[in-house]
């Protein structure tokens, strides 16, 4: 039985559609798929597979949508570097006027050495290493987000007697939101932040205000990732404004900034729900104005930290099919030359993708196929039970859209398979941004006996 039999023509067409691809994606009559005018098959031939392709126009467009939705000076948009970072992207984000949120000395050094202004960078982390803090202070990072009580004296001591460092305080507002239990960070009983409910957050505010070397600019929270509704953000906003009012009452200080983190949901498959940044901004702005008026507070600057929503939909991962088999149970597997080493998300969070055949047109009916990775784990499956042509064969190219965030940044060299390159496309031209990790790279780290 084919997927068309099961789902109908319309559903199969929807699965094949470009709705979750970058806006520049097109298909020629012969089946060749182009991104920004560049045939994806040419990129696969030139750079090998697996390879990530990033559509520059899509990233710029998304960055501009965010900046228009959260305009300065009343708001700031900080791209979350953990989603993906490389020197080329740093330049592009700088050109688009975004700030940056980093969570390690590595991300910070890369950004600053690529020319990003350190004062537009925010450092996060629930376990900041001495190197993280030293690098942040040495490079003059804009704000450090304090995640726990022990960091207060530690950062103040590291700043030294003549310095003053801007800091924020990460608060857990007691809200469970996000696409998977492993990415929910707004609840009390987890590793990030200071709880609002048990008074730890308020106590920490008092301690930071007591430190002359620290300048508390505001409160921060990050609820989780893949959140597709505005409501949890509104609830968090009201709870944090409530704490700001208590801080004003207790200390006579009106904190000038409020950071609501990132986590804005995107569609991985046609029809998935998404969080529209423009609608989010409009409703946050209204709620902020209203809550602050009710509390008699000046409206603070609003910060957001989207990662996935800026780069995720701009990326496409390309794989070559190496083997196709149908089991005795009737299940069809297409094994490709990548897998959990370049995309651990299906194994980690059960994320579902919509791969498609590129490079040739097939008239064969669609059949339920599981795209398997090449690694030595039965759970290394990139996409389970997706509609792919029945004549799929070794040598074919598969493209997985929405591969721009948390793919390369979470990649490993499991089975000593080098991490894939990143190629940017724009106006009919392709440029290598990150080269492939070679066996020589991997061998060079291994110093032997
Ligand atoms: C503090 C913080 N801000 C922003 C983000 C970005 O989240 P997303 O990429 O889902 O927008 C994260 C993700 O883990 C985070 O921990």
């Amino acid at each position: 039985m084919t997927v068309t039999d099961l789902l109908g023509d319309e559903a199969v067409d929807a699965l094949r559609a470009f709705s979750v691809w970058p806006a520049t994606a097109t298909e020629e009559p012969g089946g060749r798929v182009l991104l920004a005018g560049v045939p994806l098959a040419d990129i696969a031939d030139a750079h090998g597979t697996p390879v990530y392709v990033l559509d520059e126009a899509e990233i710029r467009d998304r960055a501009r949508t965010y900046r228009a939705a959260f305009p300065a000076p009343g708001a700031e948009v900080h791209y979350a570097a953990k989603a993906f970072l490389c020197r080329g992207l740093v330049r592009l984000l700088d050109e688009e006027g975004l700030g940056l949120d980093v969570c390690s000395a590595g991300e910070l050094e890369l950004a600053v050495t690529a020319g990003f202004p350190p004062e537009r960078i925010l450092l996060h982390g629930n376990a900041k290493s001495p190197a993280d803090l030293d690098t942040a202070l040495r490079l003059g990072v804009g704000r450090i987000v304090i995640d726990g009580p022990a960091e207060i004296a530690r950062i103040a001591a590291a700043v030294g007697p003549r310095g003053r460092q801007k800091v924020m305080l990460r608060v857990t507002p007691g809200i469970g939101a996000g696409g998977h239990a492993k990415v929910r960070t707004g609840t009390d009983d987890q590793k990030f932040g200071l709880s609002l409910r048990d008074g730890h957050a308020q106590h920490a505010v008092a301690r930071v205000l007591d430190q002359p070397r620290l300048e508390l600019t505001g409160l921060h929270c990050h609820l989780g990732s893949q959140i597709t509704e505005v409501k949890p953000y509104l609830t968090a906003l009201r709870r944090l404004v409530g704490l700001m009012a208590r801080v004003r009452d207790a200390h006579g200080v009106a904190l000038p900034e409020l950071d609501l983190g990132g986590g804005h949901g995107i569609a991985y498959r046609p029809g998935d729900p998404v969080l529209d940044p423009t609608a989010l901004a409009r409703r946050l702005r209204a709620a902020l104005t209203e809550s602050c008026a009710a509390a008699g507070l000046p409206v603070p600057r609003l910060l957001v930290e989207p990662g996935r929503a800026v780069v995720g939909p701009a990326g496409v991962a390309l794989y070559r099919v190496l083997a196709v088999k149908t089991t005795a149970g009737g299940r069809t597997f297409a094994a490709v030359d990548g897998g959990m080493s370049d995309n651990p998300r299906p194994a980690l969070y059960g994320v579902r993708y919509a791969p498609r055949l590129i490079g040739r047109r097939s008239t064969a009916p669609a059949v339920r196929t599981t795209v398997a990775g090449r690694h030595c784990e039965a759970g290394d499956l990139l996409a389970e039970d997706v509609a792919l042509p029945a004549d799929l064969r070794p040598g074919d190219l598969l493209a997985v859209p929405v591969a721009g965030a948390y793919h390369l940044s979470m990649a490993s060299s499991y089975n000593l398979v080098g991490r894939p390159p990143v190629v940017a496309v724009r106006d009919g031209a392709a440029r290598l941004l990150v080269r492939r990790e070679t066996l020589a790279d991997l061998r060079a780290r291994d110093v032997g006996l």
Side-chain angles (χ1 to χ4, degrees):
M1 185 180 289
T2 69
V3 174
T4 311
D5 295 335
L6 285 170
L7 305 176
D9 286 335
E10 244 175 71
V12 171
D13 282 350
L15 282 172
R16 285 183 177 146
F18 280 117
S19 69
V20 295
W21 282 63
T24 68
T26 51
E27 184 175 15
E28 289 177 342
R32 287 205 320 169
V33 174
L34 290 77
L35 211 56
V38 182
L40 290 177
D42 289 359
I43 295 178
D45 289 342
H47 297 277
T49 48
V51 55
Y52 307 105
V53 185
L54 268 188
D55 187 315
E56 190 178 322
E58 184 73 26
I59 298 176
R60 288 190 188 275
D61 194 49
R62 288 176 171 270
R64 285 170 199 178
T65 300
Y66 267 101
R67 285 210 68 202
F70 295 92
E76 282 179 16
V77 181
H78 289 257
Y79 167 73
K82 55 188 76 75
F84 170 64
L85 199 68
C86 69
R87 299 161 66 82
L89 181 61
V90 167
R91 266 201 26 212
L92 195 152
L93 295 166
D94 187 20
E95 283 166 16
E96 294 302 330
L98 266 56
L100 210 55
D101 127 25
V102 300
C103 61
S104 71
E107 290 176 355
L108 180 53
E109 287 259 18
L110 186 138
V112 175
T113 54
F116 202 88
E119 64 277 8
R120 295 217 317 262
I121 303 181
L122 236 119
L123 174 71
H124 281 290
N126 69 303
K128 297 178 189 77
S129 70
D132 294 336
L133 282 183
D134 289 351
T135 309
L137 296 175
R138 176 171 51 85
L139 297 178
V141 78
R143 306 150 179 99
I144 298 176
V145 182
I146 294 176
D147 205 283
E151 281 186 2
I152 300 169
R154 197 175 150 217
I155 297 172
V159 166
R162 281 188 302 279
R164 194 142 199 260
Q165 174 63 47
K166 286 187 177 163
V167 296
M168 302 189 86
L169 209 62
R170 179 161 177 169
V171 176
T172 48
I175 295 167
H180 190 278
K182 289 178 188 162
V183 296
R184 288 184 197 131
T185 54
T187 51
D188 289 314
D189 202 18
Q190 44 79 42
K191 69 174 189 170
F192 293 105
L194 292 138
S195 168
L196 193 69
R197 192 169 300 166
D198 65 12
H200 277 92
Q202 195 163 347
H203 184 62
V205 169
R207 287 188 50 208
V208 176
L209 291 174
D210 261 356
Q211 287 283 355
R213 296 173 195 171
L214 303 182
E215 178 187 340
L216 182 63
T217 69
L219 304 180
H220 171 281
C221 73
H222 173 73
L223 302 180
S225 276
Q226 268 302 87
I227 300 171
T228 52
E229 287 176 352
V230 176
K231 208 170 154 204
Y233 291 100
L234 295 177
T235 309
L237 180 150
R238 292 191 185 105
R239 290 187 187 170
L240 264 60
V241 170
L243 177 56
M244 284 175 146
R246 292 197 289 283
V247 169
R248 188 264 330 267
D249 295 345
H251 307 283
V253 174
L255 297 172
E257 294 184 334
L258 176 63
D259 186 337
L260 292 179
H264 311 159
I266 58 174
Y268 282 90
R269 295 186 301 166
D272 282 353
V274 299
L275 188 62
D276 172 21
T278 308
L280 174 71
R282 194 178 56 242
R283 293 188 57 194
L284 288 179
R285 173 64 49 201
L288 191 58
T289 308
E290 189 190 301
S291 304
C292 289
L297 283 170
V299 175
R301 185 179 302 123
L302 181 62
L303 277 63
V304 287
E305 303 170 346
R308 182 192 317 271
V310 176
V311 293
V316 176
L318 308 183
Y319 300 94
R320 189 78 67 181
V321 175
L322 296 179
V324 179
K325 84 164 191 183
T326 302
T327 63
R331 200 163 170 205
T332 299
F333 286 91
V336 298
D337 53 3
M340 65 196 302
S341 64
D342 61 79
N343 182 5
R345 301 186 66 255
L348 265 179
Y349 311 130
V351 179
R352 314 275 325 254
Y353 288 86
R356 70 182 281 159
L357 174 68
I358 57 161
R360 72 175 172 94
R361 180 176 291 287
S362 168
T363 50
V367 291
R368 268 187 207 281
T369 305
T370 289
V371 179
R374 58 167 293 172
H375 295 286
C376 299
E377 306 266 340
D380 176 25
L381 305 174
L382 283 174
E384 281 189 78
D385 292 333
V386 291
L388 285 169
D391 65 350
L392 197 69
R393 53 190 182 240
D396 274 339
L397 279 174
L398 289 183
V400 175
V402 202
Y406 303 104
H407 280 228
L408 184 56
S409 65
M410 294 181 95
S412 71
S413 47
Y414 182 40
N415 294 150
L416 291 190
V417 172
R419 285 170 289 181
V422 181
V423 174
V425 289
R426 174 186 159 179
D427 298 335
R431 262 184 316 163
L432 183 68
L433 292 186
V434 181
R435 72 161 169 81
R436 185 180 301 282
E437 188 174 37
T438 63
L439 276 183
D441 292 328
L442 296 171
R443 221 181 290 122
R445 301 176 60 235
D446 184 343
V447 294
L449 277 176

